Amino acid sequence: MPEIPCSLPSRDATLRLVPRPADVNPNGDIFGGWVMAQVDVAGAVLAWRRARGPVATVSVNSFLFKQPISVGDIVSLYTEMVRIGTTSITVRVEVYAERNHDKPITVKVTEAELTYVAIDANGNKRPLPPE
């Protein structure tokens, strides 16, 4: 699949990191599970802020791997709320990789949508506070 260069979104990244050699699969790319974990963390950060407290992931509504990620790529995760319910928040996460340090290129590598529910100290769902 050819890489399609793009620009990073104009908003701040929710999470930014660099995968390490321990994160590669037998093909030499970063494990999909590693990417999924980072997407879940980034989505939870935004949901936690809106819920003003703990949240739990209740659904992965969609997940699309568009390009592989390599060791040394700078991986940036951008989030936005797409739906706010009474107790739940649906978050879209877009993942970009900045690579080829000699000739830099940015590519969109993953996009996903997850739903989180606000929980109380006992793990029960609770209503979201007013904005």
Side-chain angles (χ1 to χ4, degrees):
M1 188 178 294
E3 293 185 333
I4 300 171
C6 63
S7 298
L8 293 172
S10 59
R11 60 192 187 276
D12 290 336
T14 303
L15 184 64
R16 187 168 280 143
L17 38 89
V18 177
R20 304 182 48 88
D23 303 319
V24 298
N25 64 27
N27 295 331
D29 300 320
I30 300 304
F31 274 112
W34 181 90
V35 178
M36 294 177 87
Q38 306 315 315
V39 165
D40 191 27
V41 168
V45 166
L46 184 64
W48 187 94
R49 286 178 177 155
R50 173 58 186 88
R52 294 191 203 121
V55 296
T57 309
V58 293
S59 175
V60 176
N61 308 329
S62 66
F63 213 105
L64 178 63
F65 294 100
K66 300 169 76 74
Q67 295 285 328
I69 297 173
S70 301
V71 170
D73 286 352
I74 300 171
V75 179
S76 300
L77 295 91
Y78 294 83
T79 57
E80 66 179 322
M81 287 183 271
V82 294
R83 184 183 163 284
I84 300 172
T86 306
T87 61
S88 66
I89 302 160
T90 301
V91 178
R92 177 177 299 119
V93 182
E94 295 179 323
V95 185
Y96 295 83
E98 297 172 72
R99 53 178 56 140
N100 300 336
H101 304 291
D102 294 336
K103 211 172 162 188
I105 183 174
T106 299
V107 294
K108 187 174 187 180
V109 294
T110 304
E111 56 189 48
E113 190 173 285
L114 300 90
T115 300
Y116 301 86
V117 66
I119 56 173
D120 64 18
N122 296 317
N124 300 311
K125 66 181 175 179
R126 63 177 172 83
L128 293 171
E131 285 193 62

